Amino acid sequence: MADKIDEIFASWGAGRNVLLYGPPATGKTRLISQLFQSLQKPPDGSRGILFDPSDAASPFSRPTQPITIPLPAKVVWTTFHQSYGYEDFVLSLRPTMDSEGTRLEPWAGVFLDAALELADEDSEYESVVIFIDEVNRGNAARIFGEFMTFLDFDYRDGGSVPLPVPLRQLTFADGASEELHRPGGASTTIPDGFTFPRHVYVVATMNSVDRAAVPIDSALARRFDRIEMRPDLDALASHWRLNAPAIPTPTEDNWETLGPFETAYLVLDRLNVVIASDLGSEFELGHGLLTPIPATATAADGSEQPIAEADAWRSLSKTWDDVLFPQLEDRYSGRPEQLMELLHVDTAPPTGDYAWTLRASKSGTAEARALAPVRTSELPFDTIKRSFRWLAR
């Protein structure tokens, strides 16, 4: 993840917007939230920012890539959803009442207000950055409307073909629009022939798995540089203070000796390899799903101590029950045989109890090829260890 912010600045410098995409829990929202905070209070100097979440003391460092947007920058955060519309993002007409009756007054949304901010001679900002989380949770084509054109820097002020901003909802007279309300209580007018300012930048995130989301159409997608966010096993190794190259490959001889963090690392690695083969890499499980498993605990004296091994196993089993397995059920909906094969149901350990088994009927006459429901965190300690170690193979 450490080089992603650098890539974002490089895209902005080339006059491109940025779309971070990938499975859930790969750090997309966390990355842009860190960038949001850093631009609110930018460090001294003009070189870019690298973010390393494993370095708690100094998570930010300086790469060679310069910050490619003018500072200071105004930052705006918004999240798309199914009820989010053009009226929230670009322009709305809201009713107001006075002594003369009811009339509609124009209000600027997030995107248009960014342009108005840079057109204001009294503004302290040189650029505006709009952060859009879950861009495909709303109907992005409808939300942007005709303003989709101005995602392309060529059609902005200073571009190769600057175009006037279409504001047909507004009334113009004497070369200026009617009064337009802005967020925060300010108001302004827009000159006829107004062109969209150059230094408005967009960075968005997109979940590549969510079936309820609206697909991004090609006209919108081509106006973004795509940066893939993939599951990062190295981030887990750092989180758990593991030496990743030293983690053994599970074999018949060593699988019963694996520790809880090694096991969790190997389980995620194996699951993602199988998922990528079965369903495609966009359906893999993000490393963030396992970060709730702590490597340390706070002792009575306030110091950080390594977590007890038994507590680590219990934490792994609870995270499996509450987070990981529901994700697997969703991905393998309608594919029970593939899920059972993934869980080694038919190839359980030769001795001892195993967490994942076939459902049995008390009548003894019904044959079942269905997974028996189980909460691994409620199983005996030895069964938990044996089951997850075997699953890592």
Side-chain angles (χ1 to χ4, degrees):
M1 187 187 294
D3 61 344
K4 300 300 183 183
I5 288 181
D6 201 35
E7 291 183 41
I8 293 172
F9 280 123
S11 291
W12 285 344
R16 298 283 293 171
N17 302 292
V18 178
L19 177 64
L20 303 178
Y21 73 101
T26 49
K28 300 182 295 296
T29 300
R30 183 180 182 186
L31 177 64
I32 67 168
S33 66
Q34 293 290 343
L35 179 56
F36 180 88
Q37 293 174 7
S38 67
L39 286 175
Q40 277 187 314
K41 298 179 179 179
D44 296 333
S46 61
R47 286 193 297 147
I49 306 165
L50 288 183
F51 173 62
D52 184 357
S54 66
D55 188 348
S58 301
F60 294 101
S61 60
R62 294 295 193 177
T64 56
Q65 174 65 41
I67 293 178
T68 52
I69 64 175
L71 297 176
K74 180 179 181 179
V75 291
V76 182
W77 185 285
T78 190
T79 302
F80 283 6
H81 51 80
Q82 292 180 353
S83 298
Y84 199 93
Y86 179 90
E87 298 77 14
D88 303 292
F89 196 66
V90 180
L91 181 64
S92 64
L93 297 175
R94 303 180 190 177
T96 185
M97 296 182 65
D98 58 20
S99 59
E100 297 179 359
T102 303
R103 67 179 186 276
L104 296 176
E105 293 188 342
W107 287 75
V110 171
F111 198 45
L112 179 56
D113 186 65
L116 298 178
E117 181 67 48
L118 298 185
D120 183 355
E121 295 179 354
D122 297 326
S123 175
E124 63 181 294
Y125 298 108
E126 297 294 327
S127 61
V128 179
V129 180
I130 300 174
F131 293 80
I132 305 174
D133 198 21
E134 304 286 358
V135 69
N136 60 329
R137 292 291 296 173
N139 187 336
R142 180 188 179 278
I143 291 169
F144 278 95
E146 70 272 23
F147 274 66
M148 185 189 302
T149 299
F150 300 106
L151 287 171
D152 193 324
F153 283 64
D154 286 341
Y155 302 122
R156 300 185 184 185
D157 187 30
S160 58
V161 190
L163 297 176
V165 173
L167 295 167
R168 288 178 291 275
Q169 300 94 326
L170 301 182
T171 300
F172 283 79
D174 300 325
S177 73
E178 62 186 299
E179 202 77 10
L180 175 66
H181 296 282
R182 296 180 55 195
S187 62
T188 188
T189 60
I190 300 177
D192 198 7
F194 175 69
T195 54
F196 201 89
R198 179 171 184 81
H199 297 298
V200 176
Y201 303 91
V202 175
V203 56
T205 68
M206 184 178 78
N207 184 341
S208 62
V209 174
D210 194 345
R211 296 184 179 92
V214 179
I216 296 292
D217 65 38
S218 59
L220 185 62
R222 69 180 177 81
R223 289 173 164 87
F224 287 84
D225 281 347
R226 292 192 170 210
I227 298 177
E228 186 177 17
M229 301 287 288
R230 296 188 55 79
D232 187 353
L233 287 171
D234 288 339
L236 277 183
S238 177
H239 176 66
W240 292 326
R241 302 176 184 178
L242 296 174
N243 180 8
I247 296 175
T249 299
T251 65
E252 291 288 343
D253 298 326
N254 68 8
W255 70 273
E256 293 181 279
T257 66
L258 295 172
F261 300 118
E262 294 173 327
T263 299
Y265 180 101
L266 292 167
V267 164
L268 185 65
D269 183 34
R270 176 181 169 267
L271 291 179
N272 278 341
V273 169
V274 176
I275 289 170
S277 299
D278 287 348
L279 306 174
S281 60
E282 68 272 20
F283 289 91
E284 292 183 34
L285 302 170
H287 56 275
L289 299 176
L290 286 175
T291 54
I293 303 172
T296 61
T298 304
D301 61 0
S303 62
E304 289 290 318
Q305 301 293 333
I307 191 173
E309 182 176 343
D311 292 338
W313 283 111
R314 290 291 180 187
S315 182
L316 169 58
S317 62
K318 190 172 189 316
T319 300
W320 172 270
D321 293 338
D322 298 341
V323 181
L324 275 180
F325 187 65
Q327 293 281 331
L328 287 177
E329 285 186 304
D330 180 64
R331 284 158 172 74
Y332 283 90
S333 176
R335 301 166 179 249
E337 288 295 332
Q338 286 92 335
L339 179 58
M340 287 187 286
E341 183 179 352
L342 180 69
L343 298 176
H344 293 323
V345 171
D346 294 326
T347 54
T351 59
D353 292 333
Y354 187 59
W356 301 284
T357 60
L358 292 175
R359 184 175 177 178
S361 168
K362 289 186 179 294
S363 69
T365 59
E367 294 185 2
R369 284 297 297 174
L371 193 64
V374 62
R375 282 192 63 84
T376 63
S377 55
E378 297 173 359
L379 297 175
F381 185 59
D382 285 344
T383 304
I384 291 174
K385 292 193 295 182
R386 181 183 306 109
S387 299
F388 283 105
R389 284 167 168 166
W390 189 257
L391 188 62
R393 301 175 71 250

